Amino acid sequence: MVETLTLQVNGKEHTVDINPETPLLYVLRNELQLNGPKFGCGLQQCGACMVLVDGEARPSCRFPVKTAVDSEIRTLAGLIKEDGELHPVQQAFVEEQAAQCGYCLNGMVMSAVSLLEKKQNPTEEEIREALAINICRCGVHSRVIKAVTSAVKKARP
Amino acid sequence: MRKDRRMFVQQLGCLSIGFSMLPTTTVLAESFTVAKEIERNLSKESVNAWLEIRENGRVLIYTGKLELGQGIKTAVAQIAAEELNMRLDLIDVQMAETEVTPDEGFTAASMSIESSGMSIRLASATAREILLKMASESLNLSKESLKMEDGNIFGADKKTSLFELLKGQHIEGKVDENVEIKAKTVRKYVGQPVPRSDIEAMVRGQSVFVQDLRFPGMLHARVVHPPKYAAKIIQFDEENSKNWPNLIQLIRKDHFVGVVAEKEFEAIQLAEKIGGQIKWDSGQNMPEQKELKNHLKNLPVEEEVQENKGDVGQSSKTMVSRSFFKPYLMHAANGPSCAVAFFDGTVLHVWSHCQGTYPLRRTLANFLEMPEEKVHVKAVPGSGCFGHNGANDVATEAALIALELPNKHIRLQWSREDEHAWEPYGTAMIVDIEASLDTNGRIATWDSHIWSDGHSNRPNSNPNTLLPSRFMNKDYGHHGIGYRGGAWRNAAPYYSVPNLRVTSHMFLGPLRVSSLRSLGTFTNIFAIESVIDDLSEKAGKDPIEFRMEHLDDPRAVECLRKLQDKIKSISVIENEGLGVSFSRYKNETSYCAMAAKVSVERKTGQVKVQKLWAMVDAGETINPDGLKNQTEGGMIQSASWALKEEVKFSSKGITSLNWASYPILRYPEIPEVEVEILDRVEQRPVGAGEASMAPTTAAIVNAIYKATGVRIVSLPVDKELLKA
């Protein structure tokens, strides 16, 4: 049942002995000790567990790890440069104080980064659509929209 | 009396840190003190219950509250920084932990600033005065000539650090209630929009939440909950179930079933497989969803008149009579509840995102029949909160499992379905109001009847406030209605009403309930502000003017006047409406005046809340950005309650089990929000986390009325009623 799989996560190769059906989320959190992706629903309904799979934001809670072996996975921590500098979207979340409890923050950052990698100058409507999967219960949406908009502006001075 | 004040820290996890050698960032959640501190006095009158001067020149603040996303950690640091004239980066905050922080009950009711914040303010200011006096003696200089700054005291050409001055001792002394408060005059840290440092930790993916805790050898647990309330196991082949591969332990206690595995995914699969083999009886009957309002009105009630002045029976030609309904609502945190428990053979340790560590400890100890001092609870942030969610229940279940597997950290993560189906909801409510105007167009009478279940059944020492007690054969009894006062919170209008009666009708409803953000205020203000709008229309008055004419409190009037200015240039077109509302939370804390602009698509009945404006007066503002964030969050959450939310159930039990069956507002539908604060330094600071909830929904339904002429009296807003 257990297989040895090699994953590309945040630019590094990781080898894990794992049931290949295990959703990527649990491998990232428990085997690789990455806190970014969070368990929210296990149903791909809330976006708490978003990661970038080959640059595309997608929920990791039902994504069997065996299907991730040929992909480049990036998590929240993988957005940070080696010198510790935050990604512009992460930086904007700090500047706009776009969190309350912060549990959903990972998913929103990942959705926004994925959007900005595809589209350099999204409209507010496009930002809202890109984040539609992300549930936030504390109601920080308006700050998140501001943060993503400001990250867009900084990327295109 | 000089004793060694070091604390002994025992390693229970991957990290071990000597207390006085703590890293500069924060107190790490994985480690905690085991042996009691030798000397610190945790009684609330004692200065050293609240703060400690440490060897490295830093100050550690102790709060009995927990960071729930409300920014309390930053706010209390600002409060202490101000009184000690100390840079914020020199201040650490230790959150609720039994035997380490004072027992401050629950982190609830928007009281953290009012209670903990003000205790820390007085303790810090008292500490400052004591330290200055000690320095005056030690340096042989007058106290008035000394200056305290960033952990040192300067005078003439002399200097001493606070730690040197104390020679390793605690500050002895009682909190002085009359000490000078610098925050009222200096305001170098207080009143400033200091950013929260935990947000950077979050964007970096650092360990912040109870869900992020990891210990060597930690095992993963899942539980099998019944399909319905009160269902009992009638068939379960335990011996056969124990043969499942990867199962480390199956825990069965009467009707409670837990599974433990090394890998989290294994635990999930085992719970599904083993759960699928259990046969349950039919459990509790549920009323028909569409009959809920009638069902609740026909339950046995305990009736009590809460307010009675004048004569509400006077006849009037201008009457408004309406019946309002609010369904059961969920806290529905983004991350389901989670806990880690560890039993070392003597003491049970629990890491929990509960609102109160001491109340959970007392109740857990009673349930587990352990001495209280053998239970240790440390609060660690979780997801959301908004009142009493599943945190205590998951902690209790983790404890039940950990006691069976000593010396192993057990991490229990509830599923989405566990949280949605078993958390204690905010009760459904009915508010019937009959009000009238006199011949001058002023409110003459106001008669209100409230039907409600209780609004708090938090852990209160009785095990029946913990969910797992319901799964035991032993009958712990029903917790009953619980805290009633929440039902009539804000039930009496804040407006001048010469003849007033408020009557409560308390029932024990079919669903599990406890505290949800703003308690009964939400429904009472939804009802009051709808009726006030109706009355203003009947009086031929502008709704803001009508409200101001009935308010004696100048702060309330100013809030409304400022709101009036803010929205005066807003225009509406066909099928759009601008609605307003006002409330003072609990009729004694934060003021909030609200406006909402909505548009209604008449073909579909779809409502879009375009923009919300809030004017807030929470007295002295500690952190204006934190206050804005809380207010904005309340506005968006309330808009979601108004437009989308209702706990669904059927004969099968709770059927709102995930985000598809319990939808909430998502990004494309989120209104623009604008918050303005009226800072009143001379006033006491009051909590504001719940203040915007009720006025938002009230302003939205008033705006829908303006747009369509349809008065929404039942939540969530029914689109069918708005089709034209």
Side-chain angles (χ1 to χ4, degrees):
Chain A
M1 192 78 163
V2 172
E3 286 178 23
T4 302
L5 301 180
T6 304
L7 297 170
Q8 309 294 325
V9 182
N10 297 336
K12 286 188 191 133
E13 209 163 85
H14 298 267
T15 303
V16 289
D17 295 323
I18 196 86
N19 173 349
E21 301 300 326
T22 305
L24 180 60
L25 172 67
Y26 302 110
V27 179
L28 296 173
R29 286 191 60 83
N30 300 335
E31 314 307 317
L32 306 189
Q33 311 217 332
L34 292 164
N35 295 310
K38 296 277 190 283
F39 172 75
C41 65
L43 302 165
Q44 302 183 335
Q45 291 177 344
C46 78
C49 60
M50 301 297 262
V51 295
L52 298 181
V53 179
D54 297 323
E56 186 86 26
R58 53 179 298 176
S60 61
C61 65
R62 295 182 83 84
F63 186 49
V65 62
K66 67 180 180 188
T67 59
V69 289
D70 296 324
S71 299
E72 193 65 51
I73 312 293
R74 265 168 101 197
T75 72
L76 189 64
L79 300 177
I80 304 168
K81 286 192 188 159
E82 269 185 26
D83 64 358
E85 191 190 333
L86 294 174
H87 184 281
V89 171
Q90 290 171 310
Q91 188 58 39
F93 269 65
V94 175
E95 281 164 14
E96 294 294 335
Q97 292 282 290
Q100 279 185 36
C101 84
Y103 198 84
C104 65
L105 179 145
N106 166 74
M108 297 181 180
V109 170
M110 299 319 272
S111 292
V113 168
S114 174
L115 171 70
L116 299 196
E117 285 184 5
K118 278 183 288 188
K119 194 149 189 147
Q120 288 191 325
N121 202 7
T123 61
E124 183 180 315
E125 205 180 326
E126 287 167 330
I127 294 170
R128 285 169 177 258
E129 282 304 323
L131 271 64
I133 188 175
N134 298 105
I135 288 276
C136 167
R137 193 51 167 161
C138 301
V140 298
H141 309 71
S142 60
R143 287 174 177 240
V144 171
I145 294 167
K146 271 187 214 150
V148 178
T149 309
S150 107
V152 169
K153 281 188 192 146
K154 279 189 186 152
R156 287 173 63 85
Chain B
M1 213 176 74
R2 293 178 184 271
K3 292 184 199 164
D4 181 2
R5 64 186 268 283
R6 279 179 306 147
M7 295 172 72
F8 297 99
V9 178
Q10 180 179 322
Q11 182 179 359
L12 285 175
C14 48
L15 289 154
S16 173
I17 31 184
F19 201 73
S20 57
M21 304 292 282
L22 276 171
T24 54
T25 48
T26 184
V27 182
L28 291 166
E30 282 90 344
S31 71
F32 52 72
T33 54
V34 173
K36 281 186 196 173
E37 194 177 356
I38 294 170
E39 205 187 1
R40 245 178 87 240
N41 178 349
L42 295 185
S43 90
K44 291 183 199 167
E45 301 79 46
S46 154
V47 170
N48 66 40
W50 302 100
L51 68 103
E52 187 176 58
I53 311 288
R54 288 156 57 202
E55 280 174 62
N56 51 10
R58 305 175 63 78
V59 166
L60 181 62
I61 301 296
Y62 295 91
T63 170
K65 305 289 180 177
L66 175 60
E67 178 61 60
L68 304 170
Q70 80 282 45
I72 186 65
K73 211 171 161 179
T74 304
V76 298
Q78 286 175 264
I79 287 167
E82 190 72 60
E83 300 312 319
L84 295 166
N85 193 27
M86 189 168 205
R87 289 198 328 262
L88 281 161
D89 62 297
L90 295 173
I91 295 177
D92 300 310
V93 179
Q94 156 83 45
M95 293 182 298
E97 179 174 354
T98 56
E99 302 299 331
V100 176
T101 62
D103 180 358
E104 291 198 87
F106 297 102
T107 307
S110 305
M111 288 297 289
S112 295
I113 293 285
E114 286 183 65
S115 56
S116 195
M118 291 306 96
S119 297
I120 289 164
R121 170 175 283 179
L122 290 172
S124 304
T126 307
R128 176 193 68 224
E129 296 303 317
I130 293 170
L131 289 161
L132 285 170
K133 186 160 175 283
M134 287 170 76
S136 152
E137 287 160 12
S138 152
L139 301 176
N140 205 16
L141 292 165
S142 76
K143 187 169 164 238
E144 291 66 37
S145 70
L146 300 176
K147 190 185 178 207
M148 184 186 286
E149 190 173 13
D150 299 336
N152 294 302
I153 293 176
F154 303 88
D157 54 352
K158 297 177 188 167
K159 171 190 159 186
T160 176
S161 80
L162 302 184
F163 191 79
E164 283 163 9
L165 202 56
L166 286 163
K167 299 192 177 76
Q169 296 305 299
H170 281 302
I171 301 168
E172 300 279 347
K174 290 209 159 168
V175 174
D176 175 2
E177 304 262 332
N178 300 311
V179 67
E180 185 199 345
I181 300 302
K182 300 283 186 191
K184 293 293 179 188
T185 50
V186 180
R187 288 171 76 75
K188 188 164 151 191
Y189 300 102
V190 163
Q192 307 302 321
V194 173
R196 283 169 52 185
S197 58
D198 49 352
I199 294 180
E200 179 153 351
M202 290 167 189
V203 303
R204 288 185 177 276
Q206 292 170 0
S207 174
V208 172
F209 302 94
V210 67
Q211 286 89 345
D212 298 333
L213 292 174
R214 288 185 194 93
F215 299 91
M218 182 171 80
L219 300 175
H220 292 274
R222 287 293 187 280
V223 286
V224 179
H225 282 143
K228 286 176 71 179
Y229 285 172
K232 310 277 186 214
I233 294 174
I234 48 177
Q235 197 188 319
F236 178 25
D237 185 349
E238 267 175 80
E239 287 312 309
N240 193 32
S241 293
K242 283 178 183 163
N243 297 327
W244 282 103
N246 304 323
L247 179 71
I248 291 179
Q249 189 121 338
L250 174 70
I251 284 102
R252 164 99 193 260
K253 294 211 168 283
D254 301 337
H255 306 284
F256 170 76
V257 177
V259 296
V260 181
E262 188 195 334
K263 303 281 184 203
E264 190 167 10
F265 185 53
E266 292 166 355
I268 294 167
Q269 289 183 309
L270 286 162
E272 275 173 19
K273 286 171 184 161
I274 292 172
Q277 294 176 335
I278 300 174
K279 286 206 168 60
W280 303 85
D281 70 11
S282 58
Q284 178 188 310
N285 285 328
M286 290 284 195
E288 284 288 323
Q289 179 103 42
K290 61 180 190 303
E291 289 299 315
L292 181 61
K293 189 175 172 186
N294 282 337
H295 175 85
L296 298 179
K297 258 204 162 165
N298 288 310
L299 288 172
V301 292
E302 289 173 33
E303 190 177 314
E304 197 180 340
V305 176
Q306 305 300 335
E307 302 244 4
N308 200 358
K309 68 171 179 184
D311 175 15
V312 293
Q314 294 171 6
S315 65
S316 162
K317 285 184 184 160
T318 323
M319 301 281 298
V320 172
S321 178
R322 295 217 184 260
S323 180
F324 297 88
F325 174 74
K326 173 234 157 198
Y328 287 99
L329 294 176
M330 273 184 209
H331 303 81
N334 187 207
S337 293
C338 181
V340 176
F342 178 89
F343 180 54
D344 64 16
T346 311
V347 176
L348 172 72
H349 306 275
V350 178
W351 289 258
S352 167
H353 54 111
C354 62
Q355 291 178 291
T357 52
Y358 286 95
L360 174 60
R361 174 169 81 163
R362 281 191 281 276
T363 315
L364 196 51
N366 285 341
F367 178 56
L368 301 172
E369 297 178 3
M370 289 175 76
E372 216 175 290
E373 61 274 15
K374 300 288 182 217
V375 179
H376 165 251
V377 181
K378 180 174 178 67
V380 187
S383 169
C385 182
F386 322 115
H388 177 190
N389 57 18
N392 304 291
D393 304 321
V394 78
T396 307
E397 293 180 340
L400 283 172
I401 296 167
L403 289 173
E404 300 294 317
L405 275 162
N407 297 311
K408 286 283 179 194
H409 287 86
I410 304 296
R411 177 183 183 272
L412 174 57
Q413 167 71 67
W414 267 12
S415 69
R416 172 50 50 203
E417 184 172 326
D418 288 328
E419 188 78 25
H420 264 51
W422 291 98
E423 66 144 287
Y425 308 120
T427 180
M429 276 177 76
I430 299 159
V431 177
D432 292 353
I433 295 174
E434 203 167 84
S436 68
L437 295 177
D438 65 18
T439 48
N440 299 318
R442 286 188 63 88
I443 303 170
T445 65
W446 190 284
D447 191 10
S448 153
H449 290 267
I450 300 147
W451 278 261
S452 179
D453 201 336
H455 285 266
S456 175
N457 286 296
R458 291 197 178 91
N460 64 357
S461 298
N462 190 327
N464 66 20
T465 47
L466 298 171
L467 177 67
S469 72
R470 298 186 177 199
F471 305 146
M472 300 298 136
N473 286 332
K474 180 176 172 182
D475 186 4
Y476 290 93
H478 194 286
H479 53 60
I481 292 171
Y483 172 62
R484 289 142 196 260
W488 52 88
R489 184 175 283 180
N490 280 100
Y494 199 60
Y495 305 101
S496 315
V497 177
N499 302 290
L500 169 71
R501 186 172 65 182
V502 174
T503 311
S504 64
H505 308 255
M506 301 302 296
F507 59 73
L508 198 57
L511 302 192
R512 182 183 186 217
V513 296
S514 191
S515 313
L516 175 65
R517 197 174 190 181
S518 83
L519 312 190
T521 294
F522 178 75
T523 315
N524 285 318
I525 292 295
F526 156 52
I528 289 172
E529 289 299 300
S530 299
V531 169
I532 288 284
D533 246 33
D534 287 340
L535 291 172
S536 72
E537 188 182 33
K538 285 192 186 288
K541 292 270 176 66
D542 169 81
I544 292 184
E545 292 294 333
F546 183 78
R547 283 172 170 83
M548 291 194 294
E549 284 170 17
H550 286 86
L551 286 164
D552 302 325
D553 179 342
R555 289 170 71 184
V557 171
E558 193 178 347
C559 259
L560 276 162
R561 200 176 296 290
K562 286 248 158 82
L563 183 76
Q564 194 175 33
D565 281 350
K566 181 133 277 201
I567 59 170
K568 67 180 175 212
S569 59
I570 304 298
S571 58
V572 291
I573 56 170
E574 200 189 354
N575 296 327
E576 288 183 347
L578 188 62
V580 297
S581 69
F582 167 80
S583 114
R584 184 177 190 193
Y585 190 50
K586 303 177 189 172
N587 281 347
E588 59 184 21
T589 65
S590 290
Y591 300 81
C592 182
M594 186 77 63
K597 186 183 178 191
V598 307
S599 60
V600 181
E601 166 63 63
R602 298 308 295 269
K603 209 169 154 191
T604 58
Q606 185 71 39
V607 175
K608 179 164 176 57
V609 181
Q610 297 177 349
K611 184 159 183 184
L612 297 165
W613 296 262
M615 199 61 66
V616 177
D617 168 356
E620 177 199 336
T621 307
I622 306 297
N623 186 325
D625 191 58
L627 176 52
K628 275 190 183 168
N629 199 351
Q630 284 283 290
T631 305
E632 293 165 6
M635 291 155 80
I636 291 171
Q637 191 174 79
S638 176
S640 181
W641 288 6
L643 299 180
K644 299 256 172 186
E645 299 186 30
E646 175 176 34
V647 177
K648 296 271 180 65
F649 50 86
S650 75
S651 54
K652 293 185 181 129
I654 303 295
T655 55
S656 292
L657 298 175
N658 55 53
W659 299 114
S661 44
Y662 190 84
I664 70 170
L665 216 59
R666 288 182 184 255
Y667 270 94
E669 309 152 299
I670 296 295
E672 190 186 337
V673 291
E674 187 177 329
V675 177
E676 194 173 318
I677 293 167
L678 304 176
D679 190 0
R680 296 196 183 272
V681 180
E682 73 287 358
Q683 299 287 341
R684 71 189 168 102
V686 289
E690 298 165 294
S692 63
M693 295 302 295
T696 302
T697 286
I700 289 171
V701 298
N702 286 341
I704 291 172
Y705 179 75
K706 296 275 192 220
T708 64
V710 178
R711 172 58 64 196
I712 297 294
V713 295
S714 190
L715 297 177
V717 174
D718 181 358
K719 285 187 246 179
E720 292 301 315
L721 301 173
L722 303 177
K723 282 185 184 172

